[in-house]
Structure formats: structure tokens, C-alpha cells
Amino acid sequence: IARLYYGASDPKGGAVEHGPRLFEQPTIHHRPEVYGGICEDEAAELLKAVTARPTPLAPAQRLEAESLQARLRLLVGETAAAVAAFRQILAVQPLHGKTLMALGDLLRRQGDAEQALVYFERAARLDETRAWALVRQAQVAADRQQYEQAVTLLEEALRLDPQLPVESYLGQMRRALAG
């Protein structure tokens, strides 16, 4: 690109004059001639119209976005808000696999194995999360020193998905069962 022409500046989302200032970055070795302000008033109105009415998300996209927001809350330490968000998602979609797994993991870390198992068992009903849900159930069984159950669950998970990286863990459970 020898020349870059654009209409209106965008202080919030732009990348040429604002924000990351793309062509000023040391890792960008190409520097085109930049010409801004082409039909600036019309471009500014169009930009305002587009950003004022964002495209609505489809229901599945909205659930994924809400699930991501809940996981982000968890990552920044807002545990109570994350739990509330996870439960709100499950009220709308009781079999949302990622949310079932995330809430189960959170509850297990908090020491509520019984409630975690409820979510892992629900996630095990779904094709997309079945194998990993069985692994999580095996972890709860191992926490309780129920090694025979843990081995059975891990073997079933591997039967469903031979690529799961749990061979070493399965070996540990077999040794614990034998020992």
C-alpha cells in the first residue's frame, strides 16, 4: 500500500492517528503516505451511525459473550460476580457446556465437590464437553480417594477422545489403586 486514504478520525477505535498508531510501531516496516479527512463530515456521520447501533448478537453469540465475560470476571478475582453470571447463563441455557464446566471447576476449587459434580455430570451429557467432564469427575473421585472410580472415568474419557492428555494421570490413579 503506497497511500492510505480515510474519511474521519476515530479517537476510540482508530489505529492510524489514534490508539495504536499502527504505522508508527517499530515492528511495522511499511509506512504509506496517509491522507485523512476525505469527505470528513459525511464519513463522521456514517461512523456515528454505525457505532450508535451495534449489530445485535444472535442468541448463541450472546451466550458465548456472556460466558466469556463471566470467565473474565473469574480471572480478575470477581468470584461472586462470576458465579452469578454463570448461573444466569445456565438459567437461560441449562446445557451450556463451557459454563457448566467453568462453574464446576470453580466450585471444586472452592471445596464444594458435591455441587461441582452436579455441573460436571450435566456437562457429561453433551458431546462437546463429555470427555473433559468425565476427567473432571475423575479428579473429584481422586480427591475423595475413590481411585477405582477415577480410573473407570478416565478410561471412558480416553475411549471417547484418545487424544486427551491424561495418560500420565491415569497411570497415577492406577498406581494409587494398586498401592
Side-chain angles (χ1 to χ4, degrees):
I1 300 174
R3 290 177 205 85
L4 173 67
Y5 299 94
Y6 67 91
S9 294
D10 184 0
K12 291 183 182 178
V16 176
E17 288 184 340
H18 302 282
R21 298 181 184 266
L22 185 65
F23 298 114
E24 295 176 20
Q25 298 299 315
T27 56
I28 303 294
H29 302 293
H30 183 72
R31 304 215 190 307
E33 294 175 30
V34 177
Y35 301 94
I38 311 296
C39 300
E40 188 168 18
D41 292 337
E42 295 90 341
E45 287 301 315
L46 181 59
L47 183 61
K48 285 179 191 173
V50 168
T51 57
R53 292 182 293 146
T55 305
L57 297 175
Q61 292 172 317
R62 182 178 310 283
L63 280 175
E64 286 302 314
E66 290 172 1
S67 180
L68 180 59
Q69 286 176 335
R71 289 189 305 251
L72 288 172
R73 285 187 176 127
L74 188 59
L75 288 173
V76 299
E78 297 175 7
T79 305
V83 169
F86 287 141
R87 289 196 168 133
Q88 183 177 355
I89 292 165
L90 293 174
V92 173
Q93 177 53 272
L95 295 177
H96 190 262
K98 291 177 185 176
T99 300
L100 290 167
M101 293 294 290
L103 188 52
D105 285 338
L106 171 61
L107 292 168
R108 179 174 171 248
R109 282 193 305 272
Q110 291 180 330
D112 191 350
E114 287 303 317
Q115 201 59 38
L117 271 176
V118 169
Y119 290 105
F120 293 146
E121 288 168 356
R122 285 171 55 188
R125 295 183 208 152
L126 306 171
D127 289 340
E128 70 185 57
T129 52
R130 181 172 293 131
W132 278 110
L134 291 172
V135 171
R136 295 301 198 282
Q137 289 177 49
Q139 290 171 330
V140 172
D143 292 344
R144 296 174 168 176
Q145 298 181 349
Q146 298 170 341
Y147 302 120
E148 187 173 345
Q149 183 182 10
V151 167
T152 301
L153 289 163
L154 289 169
E155 288 173 343
E156 176 65 12
L158 277 171
R159 187 187 67 71
L160 292 170
D161 184 355
Q163 302 302 313
L164 285 176
V166 296
E167 286 288 343
S168 176
Y169 187 53
L170 178 57
Q172 291 174 359
M173 292 300 102
R174 286 179 174 148
R175 286 189 294 281
L177 184 60

